[in-house]
Amino acid sequence: MFTAVAGLTGWIMLLLQIAALIAAAFALFHAVRQRKDAYPAVDKLTKPVWLGILAASIVIIYLFHPVSFLGIIAVVAVGVYLVDVRPRVDEVQRGSRW
């Protein structure tokens, strides 16, 4: 029974790691494609800083599990970019939808 639980836990951890890596890669790809002046225009960190944070997040998520101490920090950084920075940067570059 212990082996089955450890195997299931291993698969869940692998799926979480893959999902976190995909999200981090998407965030990094998005950050690379944006204009440099869009980030200060929405009062966010500069583009090189976000590129560094997201690149470091990919490395940390790859090396550690996303539920480890450093992994959680990396996943939170990716989440902040995707939920807070990305929509604001997109909005300032495309203009208002209304």
Side-chain angles (χ1 to χ4, degrees):
M1 168 119 176
F2 180 73
T3 309
V5 173
L8 178 62
T9 304
W11 280 105
I12 291 171
M13 293 297 287
L14 178 64
L15 290 175
L16 287 174
Q17 189 169 20
I18 290 170
L21 281 171
I22 290 170
F26 173 76
L28 182 62
F29 179 73
H30 181 271
V32 166
R33 296 184 61 221
Q34 304 310 307
R35 289 192 335 242
K36 197 173 197 175
D37 60 339
Y39 293 89
V42 293
D43 295 326
K44 300 297 176 190
L45 297 173
T46 63
K47 181 178 179 175
V49 172
W50 274 113
L51 291 175
I53 290 170
L54 295 172
S57 294
I58 288 176
V59 171
I60 289 169
I61 292 169
Y62 180 75
L63 294 177
F64 303 100
H65 289 291
V67 293
S68 67
F69 180 71
L70 290 176
I72 290 172
I73 293 171
V75 169
V76 167
V78 170
V80 166
Y81 182 84
L82 291 175
V83 173
D84 184 37
V85 178
R86 179 179 165 253
R88 304 240 348 243
V89 168
D90 284 345
E91 182 181 323
V92 77
Q93 291 186 95
R94 290 187 201 147
S96 179
R97 293 183 183 202
W98 297 99

